[in-house]
mmCIF file of all heavy atoms in Angstrom:
data_model
loop_
_atom_site.group_PDB
_atom_site.id
_atom_site.type_symbol
_atom_site.label_atom_id
_atom_site.label_comp_id
_atom_site.label_asym_id
_atom_site.label_seq_id
_atom_site.Cartn_x
_atom_site.Cartn_y
_atom_site.Cartn_z
ATOM 1 N N LYS Q 1337 24.502 -11.060 1.744
ATOM 2 C CA LYS Q 1337 25.855 -11.628 1.986
ATOM 3 C C LYS Q 1337 26.386 -12.158 0.615
ATOM 4 O O LYS Q 1337 27.564 -11.921 0.342
ATOM 5 C CB LYS Q 1337 25.896 -12.754 3.013
ATOM 6 C CG LYS Q 1337 25.715 -12.163 4.391
ATOM 7 C CD LYS Q 1337 25.912 -13.374 5.494
ATOM 8 C CE LYS Q 1337 25.754 -12.805 6.824
ATOM 9 N NZ LYS Q 1337 25.935 -13.890 7.909
ATOM 10 N N ILE Q 1338 25.511 -12.837 -0.146
ATOM 11 C CA ILE Q 1338 25.970 -13.310 -1.428
ATOM 12 C C ILE Q 1338 26.378 -12.184 -2.342
ATOM 13 O O ILE Q 1338 27.348 -12.268 -3.113
ATOM 14 C CB ILE Q 1338 24.880 -14.274 -2.002
ATOM 15 C CG1 ILE Q 1338 24.602 -15.486 -1.167
ATOM 16 C CG2 ILE Q 1338 25.276 -14.677 -3.482
ATOM 17 C CD1 ILE Q 1338 23.395 -16.319 -1.552
ATOM 18 N N GLU Q 1341 29.634 -10.779 -1.423
ATOM 19 C CA GLU Q 1341 30.736 -11.676 -1.854
ATOM 20 C C GLU Q 1341 30.929 -11.632 -3.238
ATOM 21 O O GLU Q 1341 32.089 -11.719 -3.774
ATOM 22 C CB GLU Q 1341 30.424 -13.070 -1.273
ATOM 23 C CG GLU Q 1341 31.596 -14.067 -1.424
ATOM 24 C CD GLU Q 1341 32.773 -13.663 -0.510
ATOM 25 O OE1 GLU Q 1341 32.477 -13.272 0.710
ATOM 26 O OE2 GLU Q 1341 33.979 -13.662 -0.890
ATOM 27 N N SER Q 1342 29.779 -11.480 -4.048
ATOM 28 C CA SER Q 1342 29.907 -11.343 -5.511
ATOM 29 C C SER Q 1342 30.784 -10.054 -5.913
ATOM 30 O O SER Q 1342 31.562 -10.160 -6.808
ATOM 31 C CB SER Q 1342 28.586 -11.187 -6.146
ATOM 32 O OG SER Q 1342 27.783 -12.313 -5.940
ATOM 33 N N GLU Q 1343 30.638 -9.093 -5.148
ATOM 34 C CA GLU Q 1343 31.474 -7.834 -5.363
ATOM 35 C C GLU Q 1343 32.937 -8.101 -5.215
ATOM 36 O O GLU Q 1343 33.840 -7.623 -5.853
ATOM 37 C CB GLU Q 1343 30.921 -6.711 -4.577
ATOM 38 C CG GLU Q 1343 29.616 -6.115 -4.935
ATOM 39 C CD GLU Q 1343 29.522 -5.581 -6.370
ATOM 40 O OE1 GLU Q 1343 30.586 -4.937 -6.803
ATOM 41 O OE2 GLU Q 1343 28.690 -5.842 -7.101
ATOM 42 N N CYS Q 1344 33.302 -8.818 -4.041
ATOM 43 C CA CYS Q 1344 34.639 -9.212 -3.871
ATOM 44 C C CYS Q 1344 35.150 -10.095 -4.969
ATOM 45 O O CYS Q 1344 36.320 -9.972 -5.431
ATOM 46 C CB CYS Q 1344 34.748 -10.033 -2.555
ATOM 47 S SG CYS Q 1344 34.280 -9.009 -1.063
ATOM 48 N N LEU Q 1345 34.264 -11.040 -5.500
ATOM 49 C CA LEU Q 1345 34.746 -11.835 -6.612
ATOM 50 C C LEU Q 1345 34.952 -11.116 -7.816
ATOM 51 O O LEU Q 1345 35.994 -11.310 -8.568
ATOM 52 C CB LEU Q 1345 33.657 -12.890 -6.849
ATOM 53 C CG LEU Q 1345 34.014 -14.099 -7.740
ATOM 54 C CD1 LEU Q 1345 35.176 -14.856 -7.189
ATOM 55 C CD2 LEU Q 1345 32.799 -14.955 -7.914
ATOM 56 N N ILE Q 1346 34.240 -10.060 -8.116
ATOM 57 C CA ILE Q 1346 34.381 -9.169 -9.287
ATOM 58 C C ILE Q 1346 35.757 -8.488 -9.152
ATOM 59 O O ILE Q 1346 36.535 -8.409 -10.144
ATOM 60 C CB ILE Q 1346 33.201 -8.169 -9.317
ATOM 61 C CG1 ILE Q 1346 31.965 -8.861 -9.784
ATOM 62 C CG2 ILE Q 1346 33.591 -7.006 -10.339
ATOM 63 C CD1 ILE Q 1346 30.709 -8.006 -9.599
ATOM 64 N N MET Q 1348 38.465 -9.406 -7.699
ATOM 65 C CA MET Q 1348 39.446 -10.387 -7.906
ATOM 66 C C MET Q 1348 39.533 -10.749 -9.387
ATOM 67 O O MET Q 1348 40.744 -10.707 -9.876
ATOM 68 C CB MET Q 1348 39.127 -11.717 -7.172
ATOM 69 C CG MET Q 1348 40.303 -12.769 -7.286
ATOM 70 S SD MET Q 1348 41.861 -12.216 -6.721
ATOM 71 C CE MET Q 1348 41.602 -12.103 -4.886
ATOM 72 N N PHE Q 1349 38.511 -10.802 -10.124
ATOM 73 C CA PHE Q 1349 38.551 -11.117 -11.537
ATOM 74 C C PHE Q 1349 39.073 -9.947 -12.262
ATOM 75 O O PHE Q 1349 39.889 -10.024 -13.147
ATOM 76 C CB PHE Q 1349 37.131 -11.449 -12.046
ATOM 77 C CG PHE Q 1349 36.702 -12.858 -11.860
ATOM 78 C CD1 PHE Q 1349 37.107 -13.604 -10.855
ATOM 79 C CD2 PHE Q 1349 35.901 -13.385 -12.825
ATOM 80 C CE1 PHE Q 1349 36.703 -14.981 -10.708
ATOM 81 C CE2 PHE Q 1349 35.448 -14.753 -12.711
ATOM 82 C CZ PHE Q 1349 35.869 -15.519 -11.685
ATOM 83 N N ASN Q 1359 40.472 -20.164 -12.321
ATOM 84 C CA ASN Q 1359 39.460 -19.597 -11.304
ATOM 85 C C ASN Q 1359 39.114 -20.556 -10.342
ATOM 86 O O ASN Q 1359 38.164 -20.267 -9.476
ATOM 87 C CB ASN Q 1359 38.233 -19.120 -12.113
ATOM 88 C CG ASN Q 1359 37.442 -20.194 -12.839
ATOM 89 O OD1 ASN Q 1359 37.992 -21.346 -13.036
ATOM 90 N ND2 ASN Q 1359 36.211 -19.992 -13.040
ATOM 91 N N GLN Q 1360 39.559 -21.798 -10.263
ATOM 92 C CA GLN Q 1360 39.236 -22.748 -9.286
ATOM 93 C C GLN Q 1360 39.238 -22.318 -7.862
ATOM 94 O O GLN Q 1360 38.271 -22.392 -7.088
ATOM 95 C CB GLN Q 1360 39.902 -24.032 -9.480
ATOM 96 C CG GLN Q 1360 39.519 -25.167 -8.482
ATOM 97 C CD GLN Q 1360 40.152 -26.499 -8.685
ATOM 98 O OE1 GLN Q 1360 40.921 -26.649 -9.717
ATOM 99 N NE2 GLN Q 1360 39.851 -27.521 -7.869
ATOM 100 N N THR Q 1361 40.408 -21.970 -7.414
ATOM 101 C CA THR Q 1361 40.619 -21.536 -5.970
ATOM 102 C C THR Q 1361 39.735 -20.297 -5.598
ATOM 103 O O THR Q 1361 39.165 -20.226 -4.551
ATOM 104 C CB THR Q 1361 42.061 -21.275 -5.723
ATOM 105 O OG1 THR Q 1361 42.813 -22.424 -5.928
ATOM 106 C CG2 THR Q 1361 42.280 -20.811 -4.237
ATOM 107 N N ILE Q 1362 39.647 -19.348 -6.442
ATOM 108 C CA ILE Q 1362 39.002 -18.111 -6.300
ATOM 109 C C ILE Q 1362 37.372 -18.487 -6.115
ATOM 110 O O ILE Q 1362 36.754 -18.002 -5.199
ATOM 111 C CB ILE Q 1362 39.111 -17.108 -7.462
ATOM 112 C CG1 ILE Q 1362 40.603 -16.825 -7.525
ATOM 113 C CG2 ILE Q 1362 38.332 -15.835 -7.170
ATOM 114 C CD1 ILE Q 1362 40.841 -16.112 -8.884
ATOM 115 N N MET Q 1363 36.831 -19.304 -7.056
ATOM 116 C CA MET Q 1363 35.422 -19.619 -6.952
ATOM 117 C C MET Q 1363 35.156 -20.479 -5.659
ATOM 118 O O MET Q 1363 34.192 -20.282 -5.002
ATOM 119 C CB MET Q 1363 35.083 -20.402 -8.122
ATOM 120 C CG MET Q 1363 35.189 -19.684 -9.483
ATOM 121 S SD MET Q 1363 34.061 -18.279 -9.591
ATOM 122 C CE MET Q 1363 32.512 -19.111 -9.988
ATOM 123 N N ASN Q 1364 36.053 -21.348 -5.360
ATOM 124 C CA ASN Q 1364 35.913 -22.194 -4.153
ATOM 125 C C ASN Q 1364 35.836 -21.357 -2.927
ATOM 126 O O ASN Q 1364 34.962 -21.446 -1.953
ATOM 127 C CB ASN Q 1364 36.988 -23.210 -3.983
ATOM 128 C CG ASN Q 1364 36.827 -24.465 -4.819
ATOM 129 O OD1 ASN Q 1364 35.772 -24.555 -5.473
ATOM 130 N ND2 ASN Q 1364 37.827 -25.286 -4.891
ATOM 131 N N ALA Q 1365 36.827 -20.332 -2.871
ATOM 132 C CA ALA Q 1365 36.882 -19.478 -1.711
ATOM 133 C C ALA Q 1365 35.582 -18.543 -1.612
ATOM 134 O O ALA Q 1365 35.103 -18.367 -0.498
ATOM 135 C CB ALA Q 1365 38.123 -18.572 -1.871
ATOM 136 N N ALA Q 1366 35.084 -18.010 -2.724
ATOM 137 C CA ALA Q 1366 33.930 -17.246 -2.661
ATOM 138 C C ALA Q 1366 32.754 -18.045 -2.121
ATOM 139 O O ALA Q 1366 31.989 -17.536 -1.258
ATOM 140 C CB ALA Q 1366 33.525 -16.662 -4.072
ATOM 141 N N LEU Q 1367 32.523 -19.250 -2.521
ATOM 142 C CA LEU Q 1367 31.428 -20.045 -2.080
ATOM 143 C C LEU Q 1367 31.581 -20.581 -0.680
ATOM 144 O O LEU Q 1367 30.702 -20.733 0.120
ATOM 145 C CB LEU Q 1367 31.136 -21.281 -2.967
ATOM 146 C CG LEU Q 1367 30.198 -21.023 -4.152
ATOM 147 C CD1 LEU Q 1367 28.836 -20.665 -3.801
ATOM 148 C CD2 LEU Q 1367 30.690 -19.957 -5.122
ATOM 149 N N ALA Q 1368 32.922 -20.815 -0.288
ATOM 150 C CA ALA Q 1368 33.242 -21.200 1.053
ATOM 151 C C ALA Q 1368 32.790 -20.117 1.975
ATOM 152 O O ALA Q 1368 32.329 -20.449 3.156
ATOM 153 C CB ALA Q 1368 34.705 -21.509 1.159
ATOM 154 N N ASN Q 1369 33.139 -18.851 1.672
ATOM 155 C CA ASN Q 1369 32.801 -17.716 2.536
ATOM 156 C C ASN Q 1369 31.254 -17.630 2.863
ATOM 157 O O ASN Q 1369 30.892 -17.223 3.956
ATOM 158 C CB ASN Q 1369 33.237 -16.468 1.961
ATOM 159 C CG ASN Q 1369 34.741 -16.142 2.345
ATOM 160 O OD1 ASN Q 1369 35.070 -16.538 3.369
ATOM 161 N ND2 ASN Q 1369 35.355 -15.352 1.443
ATOM 162 N N ILE Q 1370 30.375 -18.089 1.894
ATOM 163 C CA ILE Q 1370 28.973 -18.048 2.221
ATOM 164 C C ILE Q 1370 28.642 -19.012 3.241
ATOM 165 O O ILE Q 1370 27.962 -18.758 4.246
ATOM 166 C CB ILE Q 1370 28.119 -18.259 0.926
ATOM 167 C CG1 ILE Q 1370 28.524 -17.312 -0.147
ATOM 168 C CG2 ILE Q 1370 26.622 -18.293 1.203
ATOM 169 C CD1 ILE Q 1370 28.281 -15.873 0.180
ATOM 170 N N ILE Q 1371 29.048 -20.297 3.194
ATOM 171 C CA ILE Q 1371 28.735 -21.222 4.202
ATOM 172 C C ILE Q 1371 29.422 -20.994 5.463
ATOM 173 O O ILE Q 1371 28.876 -21.269 6.552
ATOM 174 C CB ILE Q 1371 29.010 -22.696 3.640
ATOM 175 C CG1 ILE Q 1371 28.385 -23.775 4.528
ATOM 176 C CG2 ILE Q 1371 30.477 -22.993 3.451
ATOM 177 C CD1 ILE Q 1371 26.923 -23.682 4.607
ATOM 178 N N VAL Q 1372 30.650 -20.492 5.360
ATOM 179 C CA VAL Q 1372 31.423 -20.094 6.637
ATOM 180 C C VAL Q 1372 30.673 -19.048 7.393
ATOM 181 O O VAL Q 1372 30.695 -19.040 8.600
ATOM 182 C CB VAL Q 1372 32.916 -19.693 6.355
ATOM 183 C CG1 VAL Q 1372 33.551 -19.002 7.466
ATOM 184 C CG2 VAL Q 1372 33.681 -20.977 5.916
ATOM 185 N N SER Q 1373 30.060 -18.091 6.741
ATOM 186 C CA SER Q 1373 29.326 -17.009 7.386
ATOM 187 C C SER Q 1373 28.102 -17.570 8.142
ATOM 188 O O SER Q 1373 27.791 -16.996 9.226
ATOM 189 C CB SER Q 1373 28.797 -16.011 6.283
ATOM 190 O OG SER Q 1373 27.725 -16.508 5.497
ATOM 191 N N ARG Q 1379 34.388 -14.311 7.586
ATOM 192 C CA ARG Q 1379 34.720 -14.225 6.279
ATOM 193 C C ARG Q 1379 36.330 -14.211 6.134
ATOM 194 O O ARG Q 1379 36.954 -13.530 6.741
ATOM 195 C CB ARG Q 1379 34.156 -12.981 5.636
ATOM 196 C CG ARG Q 1379 34.531 -12.962 4.126
ATOM 197 C CD ARG Q 1379 34.160 -11.617 3.416
ATOM 198 N NE ARG Q 1379 34.503 -11.726 1.997
ATOM 199 C CZ ARG Q 1379 35.763 -11.613 1.543
ATOM 200 N NH1 ARG Q 1379 36.715 -11.232 2.337
ATOM 201 N NH2 ARG Q 1379 36.059 -11.805 0.232
ATOM 202 N N TYR Q 1380 36.717 -15.057 5.198
ATOM 203 C CA TYR Q 1380 38.193 -15.165 4.909
ATOM 204 C C TYR Q 1380 38.514 -14.387 3.629
ATOM 205 O O TYR Q 1380 37.810 -14.332 2.722
ATOM 206 C CB TYR Q 1380 38.569 -16.616 4.695
ATOM 207 C CG TYR Q 1380 38.571 -17.485 5.864
ATOM 208 C CD1 TYR Q 1380 37.452 -18.318 6.131
ATOM 209 C CD2 TYR Q 1380 39.518 -17.444 6.872
ATOM 210 C CE1 TYR Q 1380 37.441 -19.201 7.241
ATOM 211 C CE2 TYR Q 1380 39.558 -18.312 7.893
ATOM 212 C CZ TYR Q 1380 38.453 -19.154 8.145
ATOM 213 O OH TYR Q 1380 38.434 -19.908 9.227
ATOM 214 N N ASP Q 1381 39.798 -13.733 3.599
ATOM 215 C CA ASP Q 1381 40.219 -13.294 2.375
ATOM 216 C C ASP Q 1381 40.661 -14.445 1.403
ATOM 217 O O ASP Q 1381 40.864 -15.637 2.009
ATOM 218 C CB ASP Q 1381 41.594 -12.423 2.624
ATOM 219 C CG ASP Q 1381 41.303 -11.174 3.342
ATOM 220 O OD1 ASP Q 1381 40.155 -10.596 3.177
ATOM 221 O OD2 ASP Q 1381 42.228 -10.623 4.063
ATOM 222 N N TYR Q 1382 40.584 -14.282 0.160
ATOM 223 C CA TYR Q 1382 40.843 -15.449 -0.740
ATOM 224 C C TYR Q 1382 42.113 -16.069 -0.579
ATOM 225 O O TYR Q 1382 42.423 -17.177 -1.033
ATOM 226 C CB TYR Q 1382 40.545 -14.921 -2.197
ATOM 227 C CG TYR Q 1382 39.126 -14.611 -2.418
ATOM 228 C CD1 TYR Q 1382 38.799 -13.914 -3.601
ATOM 229 C CD2 TYR Q 1382 38.065 -14.958 -1.566
ATOM 230 C CE1 TYR Q 1382 37.426 -13.575 -3.866
ATOM 231 C CE2 TYR Q 1382 36.667 -14.600 -1.780
ATOM 232 C CZ TYR Q 1382 36.395 -13.926 -2.994
ATOM 233 O OH TYR Q 1382 35.106 -13.596 -3.222
ATOM 234 N N LEU Q 1387 41.954 -20.807 5.061
ATOM 235 C CA LEU Q 1387 40.929 -21.066 4.132
ATOM 236 C C LEU Q 1387 41.523 -22.029 2.989
ATOM 237 O O LEU Q 1387 40.957 -23.093 2.550
ATOM 238 C CB LEU Q 1387 40.304 -19.951 3.482
ATOM 239 C CG LEU Q 1387 39.320 -20.116 2.401
ATOM 240 C CD1 LEU Q 1387 38.127 -20.917 2.967
ATOM 241 C CD2 LEU Q 1387 38.718 -18.915 1.848
ATOM 242 N N MET Q 1391 40.359 -25.885 1.951
ATOM 243 C CA MET Q 1391 39.876 -26.236 0.702
ATOM 244 C C MET Q 1391 40.837 -27.342 0.051
ATOM 245 O O MET Q 1391 40.242 -28.169 -0.677
ATOM 246 C CB MET Q 1391 39.870 -24.929 -0.154
ATOM 247 C CG MET Q 1391 38.842 -23.860 0.227
ATOM 248 S SD MET Q 1391 38.590 -22.546 -0.947
ATOM 249 C CE MET Q 1391 40.248 -21.888 -1.144
ATOM 250 N N GLY Q 1491 28.485 -27.156 1.151
ATOM 251 C CA GLY Q 1491 28.149 -25.882 0.739
ATOM 252 C C GLY Q 1491 29.036 -25.095 -0.152
ATOM 253 O O GLY Q 1491 28.813 -24.066 -0.783
ATOM 254 N N MET Q 1492 30.334 -25.732 -0.319
ATOM 255 C CA MET Q 1492 31.268 -25.096 -1.126
ATOM 256 C C MET Q 1492 31.489 -25.763 -2.529
ATOM 257 O O MET Q 1492 31.296 -25.139 -3.531
ATOM 258 C CB MET Q 1492 32.675 -25.053 -0.479
ATOM 259 C CG MET Q 1492 33.772 -24.482 -1.313
ATOM 260 S SD MET Q 1492 35.489 -24.895 -0.697
ATOM 261 C CE MET Q 1492 35.717 -26.553 -1.410
ATOM 262 N N SER Q 1496 30.355 -24.235 -6.324
ATOM 263 C CA SER Q 1496 31.508 -23.539 -7.022
ATOM 264 C C SER Q 1496 31.894 -24.440 -8.404
ATOM 265 O O SER Q 1496 32.231 -23.787 -9.371
ATOM 266 C CB SER Q 1496 32.694 -23.498 -6.110
ATOM 267 O OG SER Q 1496 33.274 -24.816 -5.837
ATOM 268 N N LEU Q 1499 29.331 -23.414 -11.042
ATOM 269 C CA LEU Q 1499 29.667 -22.012 -11.590
ATOM 270 C C LEU Q 1499 30.916 -22.141 -12.568
ATOM 271 O O LEU Q 1499 30.911 -21.488 -13.539
ATOM 272 C CB LEU Q 1499 29.877 -21.058 -10.501
ATOM 273 C CG LEU Q 1499 28.646 -20.639 -9.746
ATOM 274 C CD1 LEU Q 1499 28.984 -19.813 -8.469
ATOM 275 C CD2 LEU Q 1499 27.764 -19.666 -10.661
ATOM 276 N N GLU Q 1636 22.633 -18.806 -4.652
ATOM 277 C CA GLU Q 1636 23.979 -18.564 -4.976
ATOM 278 C C GLU Q 1636 24.252 -18.649 -6.458
ATOM 279 O O GLU Q 1636 24.914 -17.789 -6.985
ATOM 280 C CB GLU Q 1636 24.914 -19.585 -4.190
ATOM 281 C CG GLU Q 1636 24.973 -19.393 -2.761
ATOM 282 C CD GLU Q 1636 25.716 -20.561 -2.095
ATOM 283 O OE1 GLU Q 1636 25.639 -21.688 -2.595
ATOM 284 O OE2 GLU Q 1636 26.354 -20.227 -1.070
ATOM 285 N N PHE Q 1640 25.508 -15.159 -8.278
ATOM 286 C CA PHE Q 1640 26.927 -15.110 -8.714
ATOM 287 C C PHE Q 1640 26.981 -15.164 -10.312
ATOM 288 O O PHE Q 1640 27.812 -14.363 -10.826
ATOM 289 C CB PHE Q 1640 27.759 -16.409 -8.151
ATOM 290 C CG PHE Q 1640 28.283 -16.206 -6.738
ATOM 291 C CD1 PHE Q 1640 27.693 -16.922 -5.725
ATOM 292 C CD2 PHE Q 1640 29.242 -15.315 -6.475
ATOM 293 C CE1 PHE Q 1640 28.200 -16.786 -4.366
ATOM 294 C CE2 PHE Q 1640 29.765 -15.110 -5.123
ATOM 295 C CZ PHE Q 1640 29.183 -15.824 -4.240
ATOM 296 N N LEU Q 1644 28.531 -11.958 -12.348
ATOM 297 C CA LEU Q 1644 29.745 -12.207 -13.180
ATOM 298 C C LEU Q 1644 29.527 -11.732 -14.676
ATOM 299 O O LEU Q 1644 30.300 -11.128 -15.324
ATOM 300 C CB LEU Q 1644 30.173 -13.577 -13.006
ATOM 301 C CG LEU Q 1644 30.858 -13.996 -11.696
ATOM 302 C CD1 LEU Q 1644 31.200 -15.533 -11.678
ATOM 303 C CD2 LEU Q 1644 32.200 -13.153 -11.570
#
Side-chain angles (χ1 to χ4, degrees):
K1337 286 185 178 180
I1338 297 170
E1341 194 63 44
S1342 296
E1343 290 300 319
C1344 296
L1345 192 61
I1346 288 169
M1348 182 60 69
F1349 277 32
N1359 68 338
Q1360 180 176 357
T1361 300
I1362 303 168
M1363 296 296 282
N1364 282 350
L1367 271 299
N1369 271 333
I1370 303 302
I1371 192 63
V1372 166
S1373 72
R1379 183 189 179 278
Y1380 290 101
D1381 291 333
Y1382 293 166
L1387 179 61
M1391 294 192 303
M1492 179 196 80
S1496 65
L1499 287 167
E1636 290 172 328
F1640 277 114
L1644 287 171

